[in-house]
Amino acid sequence: MTPSGYADGFARDSLPEESAWPDFRFEIPSVQYPERLNAAAALLDGAIEKGWGDRVAVYSAARTLTYAELNAEANRMAHVLTDDLGLVTGGRVLIHGGNSVELMIAWYGCLKAGGIAVMTMPLLREPEITTIVGKAKIRLALCVPALKEAVEKSMAAGSGLERIALLGQDAEICQLMAGKPTEFTACDTAADDIALLAFTSGTTGEPKACAHFHRSVLAMADTFGAMLDPQPGDIYAGTPPFAFTFGLGAFVVFPARAGIAVALPSKPGFEALCEAIQAFRVTHTFTAPTGYRALIGLKTAYDLTSLKGGVSAGEHLPEASWRAWKEATGIDLVDGIGATEMIHIFISAAGWNIRPGATGHAVPGYDAKVIGEDGNPVPDGEIGKLAVRGPTGCLYLSDERQKIYVKNGWNITGDLYRRDPDGYFWYVSRADDLIVASGYNIAGPEVEQALLLHDAVAECAVVGQPCEERGTIVAAHVVLKQPLLAGEEMAKELQDFVKLTIAPYKYPRAIHFTEALPKTQTGKIQRFRLRS
């Protein structure tokens, strides 16, 4: 690692031994960065240097800012952090709130000041925040007033927080910013100084803190972000929170790197996204497959004709959902698989390379393969674990699970895939979502894909269900477009439909009708809750 200028070395000292690091690869010119690099300066000051200062950076109902204005606000924020809030370089800063201009300014200001940003999901409660604060040894929190209660409770519980400052146009930080200069010399960070800690959702145990360098922040824009071929006048919008690196990339980093705009919905939800698309003439959407199914249902109520592209991630995009969106809008959705550990998407396809149902090829800059239990590649067509490497990779903060995720320099994502002879990667399931029933290996997503082809099905999730006779059976949790049709007759119709669509032994022996599926804030279906 390049020598760091951080005064607080906790995060750097908590990284794994370098022998346990992934094999970082910088084989394409776009990810070959100088040794000294501050990502926030590269994005915002870089936008000014490229002549983009007068371009709109962010649209919202509350505020619209150009890149020059956003940069000035970020500089004021950096002054407040260093002059008034006691941030030392390398210090972690909790940034808690929904997607907003204020959160964007806070993130940029934190990085410019040499802080390490820790953005958290808006709906986290005190115990979850306390876990994050304790793991990252956070002393300073920036929070929107509406969500301050959980942060205050964490501080009162002795989490280690020492200062909470409120974001918002009438709040403390805004008042402090008012008298600050609009110029700030960004901290002289190394390219491999830590810029952010992104926490996993914790669905499989205690959440893991994933450390990402300043160079990694730019790399997600210069690999997958560049693959989207952003053009002047493009406007991005979507539902993932900034705390989810899918959202951080799509709405903060990618637009700034390309000099285009983001439109922020006024609140979470798909109706609010449609309102933003209509109001700001959004061109590209970013959401989970669940979101695109919801947008189809809302299409007649809003003017969505400005759309010309979209990215789906967070969950596998079934071919049925891809084709339904194509039929409704004429748009070829870009599917992609990413991971918090990798910071963003590393397998995808765009334009004429899209093959519906397949995730795609390794994004330029990344290598990917499908391996067996022995770690060696399996033949094309066979199922195995996905392994990937590139300019970003997994670095858990003080966590023994590093040894599970990184093996022989490769990141083992926990996904089962197969590769076809043309080099396309096809998603099978998460490794823990593979159902073994009566000696057969059955991938839940394949059954879900079959069910989604039925006209009555709005959403579904398939998991293994314990059975005394068979050990495990395939169980489908189904949301119907017309809930009143739920019953034995519909269950048998769906079972027969699946038998005719895929191998009969894969059909769901149990069907549970439900009004809604449990989901994370990022739209991922929580199958572990269905299994329990």
Side-chain angles (χ1 to χ4, degrees), residues 515-527:
E515 292 183 0
L517 298 173
K519 297 186 180 79
T520 67
Q521 293 179 53
T522 59
K524 292 183 180 181
I525 297 172
Q526 295 175 310
R527 290 174 178 79

Side-chain angles (χ1 to χ4, degrees), residues 51-384:
W52 299 340
D54 292 335
R55 293 187 185 182
V56 172
V58 53
Y59 292 99
S60 76
R63 305 172 72 187
T64 291
L65 296 180
T66 65
Y67 275 102
E69 292 167 337
L70 178 58
N71 192 40
E73 293 291 277
N75 288 338
R76 289 191 177 104
M77 174 65 73
H79 278 293
V80 169
L81 288 167
T82 56
D83 301 344
D84 302 293
L85 299 180
L87 177 66
V88 299
T89 56
R92 282 72 58 207
V93 180
L94 184 79
I95 304 175
H96 189 60
N99 290 5
S100 65
V101 176
E102 283 70 32
L103 245 71
M104 188 180 293
I105 291 168
W107 184 84
Y108 275 119
C110 176
L111 265 62
K112 281 200 168 197
I116 297 174
V118 186
M119 302 190 98
T120 45
M121 297 293 183
L123 295 183
L124 293 187
R125 300 295 184 253
E126 178 272 317
E128 298 158 313
I129 289 174
T130 296
T131 296
I132 289 170
V133 168
K135 196 172 185 71
K137 298 291 187 290
I138 300 171
R139 296 187 179 91
L140 172 63
L142 309 181
C143 179
V144 298
L147 299 179
K148 68 178 181 178
E149 183 179 357
V151 182
E152 290 175 340
K153 285 182 177 179
S154 177
M155 185 173 176
S159 63
L161 277 178
E162 297 175 0
R163 178 73 187 272
I164 300 171
L166 297 182
L167 297 163
Q169 292 197 49
D170 298 318
E172 173 191 8
I173 290 179
C174 181
Q175 296 170 6
L176 291 171
M177 288 172 61
K180 299 298 183 184
T182 59
E183 300 294 328
F184 183 87
T185 301
C187 180
D188 179 26
T189 47
D192 56 6
D193 271 331
I194 299 169
L196 61 92
L197 296 177
F199 276 79
T200 61
S201 60
T203 56
T204 58
E206 182 183 336
K208 300 175 283 286
C210 304
H212 291 295
F213 299 138
H214 280 265
R215 71 177 187 224
S216 302
V217 172
L218 297 187
M220 61 174 162
D222 296 335
T223 54
F224 177 69
M227 198 183 85
L228 298 177
D229 192 25
Q231 298 295 313
D234 284 352
I235 303 173
Y236 289 177
T239 58
F242 293 166
F244 184 29
T245 49
F246 178 33
L248 180 68
F251 310 138
V252 180
V253 180
F254 293 2
R257 196 63 163 163
I260 61 174
V262 60
L264 300 179
S266 59
K267 58 186 177 182
F270 302 117
E271 291 86 355
L273 173 57
C274 288
E275 290 170 1
I277 294 169
Q278 179 174 279
F280 301 114
R281 307 302 293 163
V282 169
T283 60
H284 292 74
T285 47
F286 295 73
T287 190
T290 301
Y292 288 106
R293 290 192 288 270
L295 291 181
I296 291 172
L298 295 167
K299 180 175 177 289
T300 56
Y302 297 91
D303 180 3
L304 308 183
T305 56
S306 60
L307 293 179
K308 62 181 183 179
V311 177
S312 175
E315 284 262 302
H316 167 62
L317 176 64
E319 183 178 350
S321 298
W322 190 95
R323 294 196 181 281
W325 181 253
K326 171 73 171 179
E327 182 178 347
T329 66
I331 294 170
D332 292 348
L333 276 180
V334 173
D335 190 15
I337 180 173
T340 305
E341 288 85 353
M342 301 295 297
I343 206 169
H344 218 277
I345 289 170
F346 48 81
I347 293 180
S348 185
W352 63 270
N353 278 322
I354 292 174
R355 186 170 292 184
T359 309
H361 296 97
V363 169
Y366 288 90
D367 299 320
K369 60 182 180 180
V370 179
I371 61 173
E373 291 300 326
D374 59 1
N376 293 319
V378 300
D380 284 347
E382 290 191 13
I383 296 171

